[in-house]
Amino acid sequence: MSFERPELLWGLAALPLLWWLARPPRPRRVLLSAHLEQWQLAMRALRRRPPRGSTLRLLLLALALIGATFAAAGPKTAGALGPDRLVVLLDGSGSMAARRGEVSAFARARQEIERLLAQVPEHVDVTLLRCGGDLRRRYGAAARALSDLGPPAGDLDVDLAGLADALRDERTAVLVCTDGQGQQRLPRACALQVFETRGDNAAITAVRVTDAWPLPTLAVEVDVRVCADGEAPLTVRASGPIEGAEERELVAWRDGEVVTAGFELTRTAAGGALELRAELPGDVLARDDARVVRLPPLPAPRIAVLADAEAGPFAAVAAQALADEVQGRVVAPTRGGEVGLLLVDGGEAKLVPGAVRAMTFGTRLDGGPEPEVWQPGGGLEWARDHVVTRGLDLSELRVDRAWRGVLPDGEPLLWAGAGADRRPLAVLVQGDGIASLHFAFRLQDGNLPLLAAFPQLLRRGFVRSYGDAAALVVEGSPPPAGEVDLQDAVAGPSRPLPEFGGVERSLARWCLALGLLALGLRAFVR
């Protein structure tokens, strides 16, 4: 037994005071009488006794004082030896999604933790850490209820054995639930539950897409890492918004190597989700077997041309060349008509930069200042790392005449001069999902239409004018390298939880009850 406030036991020092107070009072005076015998007979007749102390009453009063003092000092019984805290380390990496039968290892781990926590006494403080992917911590009731642990995902970049050794002490027990995948060793001195996930696995590690948008052709390469002991055939399938499902069967592979399946696909105009899936008989981990490529819809490539009376034939020829490149056609510009791209050469156009898919050459925009002629001269430069001009050879570009005041504010792609004298000759204006490309010179005022890079520049300007609507998206991310090969998991026997310490129990109420009982009995003792 121990006391929470042992300093209050000094209250027992009042026991001598109680003994002194319980002594009978001494007579105030002594009278000598020859009638002692008659006085004693009278006292017996009156049933009176001379004042004297009561030992039983003193003992009951002392017992009441001792009970009250002990209750104030907080007596308690010592609990059984053992830990009173539990930390659960749950492996939440991607390999825990492997299935043995109908249930994944992660689901079996949850069920086992629920069963073990039901046996843990309520006074034990429980903390749960989900390791792997995003680290999640749960305490108390949330830990016992396994609240919001999420699905297994990501790599296990934590040394579970080292973490368990760091957390374990005399008061703290540790339970590790893992499949042993991606670990150098398993914990040796704590409770352990190992869930088997060994098996064959094929995982898509990379997807490369060469998109010919706005053309329907699509080249796809799929890298698959195969980790299996057998020689089962590996099949890679492509399905979705394409003309007929495609599949490739790969039989020449070795354990642990990466093989590649290539596809030449023709997609439909609506776009959508292109699913790439690797199928291996006996694959125990399905979450890394598929990747999705989100394909944008194909445009209706109608090219419209506006040219002033002084413009040459270059705009019409450029529009026809672009239409042939994107498998479209040239249409007449009409008010309110929908076109894939508007080519404007010279003159004035009522359009808002970045709000219309357009390419303008020496065109005064609606509300712009009166243009002024200037000669750029030599020394033209272009943005060599921009998506529109990257890889294009514009070293032989010559501009004889340009116009000041026709370019809106935008991202410069082509300019003349250097330093403080540098002036833009072409800018890109990006709007909300729409972009427009503007040149400060007309097509007839230079040799741009004669360059070999001009058709490619037109095509890139057309694609860029659609902004994000022309970009495909490869969804998901490759699986962590350490969560693909399910053949090298560290195995080990499971170990149960230790015996937890008992809770301390307070004796204050019993001490107080004893004191009150002593006072009650004292009332009946004379």
Side-chain angles (χ1 to χ4, degrees):
M1 185 176 66
S2 60
F3 295 90
E4 294 182 0
R5 297 174 294 277
E7 66 276 5
L8 297 182
L9 293 177
W10 283 103
L12 297 177
L15 288 174
L17 178 62
L18 292 182
W19 172 80
W20 184 78
L21 294 175
R23 294 175 60 194
R26 300 181 66 180
R28 296 182 181 180
R29 60 180 178 169
V30 178
L31 297 176
L32 298 177
S33 174
H35 306 287
L36 177 61
E37 184 177 356
Q38 292 83 355
W39 179 80
Q40 290 178 341
L41 291 174
M43 292 293 290
R44 290 193 188 101
L46 293 175
R47 296 183 178 181
R48 290 184 180 181
R49 291 183 301 174
R52 63 176 180 266
S54 175
T55 304
L56 182 56
R57 286 175 58 85
L58 176 61
L59 290 177
L60 290 175
L61 183 59
L63 186 59
L65 175 63
I66 293 173
T69 303
F70 272 49
K76 57 184 179 180
T77 60
L81 295 179
D84 59 358
R85 292 192 294 252
L86 174 64
V87 178
V88 181
L89 302 181
L90 173 60
D91 184 351
S93 60
S95 61
M96 289 289 286
R99 293 180 178 270
R100 290 295 225 175
E102 298 297 327
V103 183
S104 67
F106 191 75
R108 286 185 282 125
R110 285 183 59 108
Q111 295 172 1
E112 183 64 16
I113 293 174
E114 289 177 352
R115 185 186 70 82
L116 293 175
L117 291 182
Q119 304 172 6
V120 175
E122 290 296 329
H123 71 274
V124 176
D125 185 17
V126 178
T127 301
L128 188 144
L129 300 178
R130 200 207 76 165
C131 307
D134 54 330
L135 178 64
R136 300 189 182 186
R137 299 178 179 88
R138 299 294 178 264
Y139 304 96
R144 289 179 177 268
L146 307 183
S147 300
D148 189 26
L149 295 182
D155 196 0
L156 183 60
D157 53 358
V158 178
D159 180 10
L160 290 179
L163 182 58
D165 292 341
L167 294 174
R168 186 174 57 86
D169 56 30
E170 293 182 357
R171 295 190 55 191
T172 305
V174 179
L175 169 63
V176 178
C177 297
T178 180
D179 60 351
Q181 181 69 32
Q183 295 292 295
Q184 298 295 327
R185 60 187 177 93
L186 292 177
R188 298 178 181 177
C190 66
L192 178 66
Q193 294 292 327
V194 180
F195 302 91
E196 183 66 37
T197 57
R198 291 174 179 266
D200 297 342
N201 183 40
I204 296 179
T205 58
V207 175
R208 295 179 296 276
V209 182
T210 302
D211 190 8
W213 193 95
L215 302 180
T217 57
L218 195 69
V220 181
E221 289 184 343
V222 183
D223 290 345
V224 183
R225 185 181 176 193
V226 186
C227 299
D229 295 332
E231 298 181 354
L234 170 67
T235 303
V236 182
R237 304 181 187 274
S239 59
I242 56 176
E243 295 181 359
E246 297 278 346
E247 69 176 41
R248 301 287 184 270
E249 184 172 314
L250 306 175
V251 294
W253 53 267
R254 290 178 295 180
D255 183 21
E257 75 173 359
V258 176
V259 293
T260 301
F263 297 90
E264 295 291 337
L265 305 175
T266 301
R267 60 184 169 189
T268 60
L274 172 65
E275 183 183 60
L276 306 169
R277 180 173 294 276
E279 298 179 356
L280 180 71
D283 194 329
V284 298
L285 186 58
R287 63 177 303 125
D288 55 9
D289 295 348
R291 296 287 294 277
V292 172
V293 180
R294 191 69 59 179
L295 301 179
L298 296 176
R302 293 185 291 270
I303 313 301
V305 181
L306 284 176
D308 62 2
E310 299 179 1
F314 295 106
V317 174
Q320 188 59 53
L322 178 59
D324 295 340
E325 176 73 16
V326 300
Q327 297 183 0
R329 58 193 178 92
V330 179
V331 299
T334 58
R335 183 180 297 275
E338 182 180 355
V339 295
L341 184 69
L342 176 64
L343 281 178
V344 186
D345 189 10
E348 181 177 355
K350 294 185 177 181
L351 58 87
V352 179
V356 178
R357 298 183 179 96
M359 294 180 66
T360 66
F361 298 88
T363 302
R364 179 187 178 188
L365 302 180
D366 185 27
E370 188 69 27
E372 298 179 5
V373 179
W374 65 289
Q375 284 75 33
L380 302 183
E381 275 296 332
W382 66 97
R384 301 175 187 269
D385 57 349
H386 196 275
V387 64
V388 176
T389 53
R390 183 186 303 127
L392 298 183
D393 183 11
L394 300 178
S395 59
E396 298 183 3
L397 176 62
R398 186 192 74 254
V399 177
D400 300 327
R401 183 174 59 171
W403 304 88
R404 291 192 185 96
V406 298
L407 292 182
D409 294 332
E411 184 179 4
L413 300 181
L414 177 68
W415 56 84
D421 297 331
R422 190 172 73 170
R423 297 178 180 177
L425 290 174
V427 296
L428 177 70
V429 180
Q430 181 65 56
D432 186 12
I434 296 177
S436 57
L437 186 59
H438 305 272
F439 292 83
F441 55 91
R442 296 182 296 184
L443 291 176
Q444 67 187 29
D445 293 332
N447 65 343
L448 179 61
L450 306 178
L451 297 180
F454 184 56
Q456 187 67 14
L457 181 63
L458 287 174
R459 185 178 185 277
R460 292 185 182 182
F462 176 82
V463 174
R464 192 68 187 88
S465 68
Y466 280 81
D468 296 337
L472 57 81
V473 178
V474 181
E475 296 182 347
S477 57
E483 300 292 326
V484 175
D485 189 355
L486 302 184
Q487 306 294 332
D488 60 351
V490 180
S494 297
R495 293 187 295 271
L497 287 172
E499 292 292 334
F500 290 94
V503 64
E504 296 177 341
R505 298 184 180 276
S506 175
L507 299 177
R509 65 180 66 182
W510 298 106
C511 293
L512 186 60
L514 179 61
L516 293 175
L517 178 61
L519 287 178
L521 292 176
R522 189 175 182 271
F524 296 97
V525 176
R526 293 185 179 275

